[in-house]
Amino acid sequence: VLTVSEAKEIALGIGVKERRFNQEMARLEGTDGLDHTTVMYSKDIMIGISRFTSKRLHHMQLIRFGLNLAVVVLMMFTFAGLFLITENWGYGEGLWFTWVTATTIGFGDLVPGKDPKANGGSLLNIVYMMLNLGFLANCVGAALPLVRATRIHLRYLYRRVKHRLGA
């Protein structure tokens, strides 16, 4: 059991904005204002704090996914340009090769190091695969919780609509 002022101290300590805290507490208590001597059960406080932290975690996952995806795309365009130089391919061929390599499809239509006049393509490909593998795996790892959260949210919305329609 905590007082509201103790709960507020905890919430502000983990980064909850004061206005947001007051709104959540008012919603929990069903009043517009709370005095600082009101005693609250820790369960109610934890529900309010967990809502805040789950939203914050979702935003952090979105940022993580977006940054990793941006790095993967940037690497594809950069290495396509490098393959243009080392392998004497066109830029489109370089982009095609980086996409096929990044997705681990490997059609075999373009192979670095095949042309005896080109040098450094095989080593460049190894560097690209190692870098891209890490960022792509991190991107997929960040996307999975987002997909799961979206699926849960859609299921919740479906149930609300179904309940309102009386079905």
Side-chain angles (χ1 to χ4, degrees), residues 68-89:
N68 280 296
L69 186 63
V71 168
V72 167
V73 170
L74 183 66
M75 277 196 322
M76 285 178 66
F77 282 100
T78 303
F79 276 86
L82 293 174
F83 283 120
L84 173 84
I85 296 166
T86 59
E87 292 295 320
N88 300 322
W89 292 341

Side-chain angles (χ1 to χ4, degrees), residues 135-147:
F135 282 105
L136 202 57
N138 207 354
C139 194
V140 170
L144 290 177
L146 295 174
V147 170

Side-chain angles (χ1 to χ4, degrees), residues 76 94-105 128:
M76 285 178 66
L95 273 176
W96 172 252
F97 178 75
T98 56
W99 170 254
V100 168
T101 302
T103 56
T104 68
I105 296 170
Y128 173 69

